[in-house]
Amino acid sequence: MGAIAFILMSAIAPWLKIFKLENTGNLPRLVMPKKIRELKQMLRQAGFSELPGKGSHTNWVHPLYAGKLTISGKDGADAKPYQEKDVKKAIEEIERNEEDE
């Protein structure tokens, strides 16, 4: 049984870098990365304004967010984990700033 588990883990290991594991009770499950278009939609819903950038880059600004957020990639491409994290942090910052005002 140990050899089979090793072979399976060897085959799955490269994919684990792409997908996130989410623990939903008894069994962990793989979570597909969001698409760039989903991140952009989240930013629009939070009130960010889109500014054009070079190539596939778009810059996002909000009156309650210090600085700008740059998202790169075509709309149909998978978002990188750091991009998802940056978008979530930016939206959380906006929500905190709205509560303070």
Side-chain angles (χ1 to χ4, degrees):
M1 191 63 145
I4 294 173
F6 177 76
I7 292 170
L8 286 174
M9 285 307 295
S10 298
I12 294 173
W15 290 99
L16 293 178
K17 293 178 182 176
I18 298 171
F19 301 108
K20 294 184 286 187
L21 283 175
E22 182 178 273
N23 194 354
T24 56
N26 296 337
L27 298 173
R29 68 182 183 98
L30 293 177
V31 178
M32 296 290 293
K34 291 190 183 314
K35 297 289 185 186
I36 296 293
R37 78 171 65 84
E38 293 175 285
L39 297 183
K40 291 179 178 182
Q41 182 181 11
M42 291 168 61
L43 290 169
R44 280 189 200 98
Q45 289 174 349
F48 279 81
S49 300
E50 182 176 358
L51 301 173
K54 288 188 174 183
S56 65
H57 291 70
T58 54
N59 298 305
W60 297 83
V61 294
H62 192 284
L64 299 177
Y65 182 72
K68 66 180 178 180
L69 180 65
T70 302
I71 301 292
S72 63
K74 295 182 180 180
D75 285 350
D78 289 340
K80 307 261 190 280
Y82 78 87
Q83 291 174 314
E84 290 187 45
K85 198 179 302 182
D86 288 348
V87 168
K88 287 179 184 177
K89 284 183 181 178
I91 292 172
E92 288 172 1
E93 182 178 327
I94 296 302
E95 291 170 351
R96 277 194 310 274
N97 290 341
E98 285 175 347
E99 290 174 3
D100 291 344
E101 288 187 357

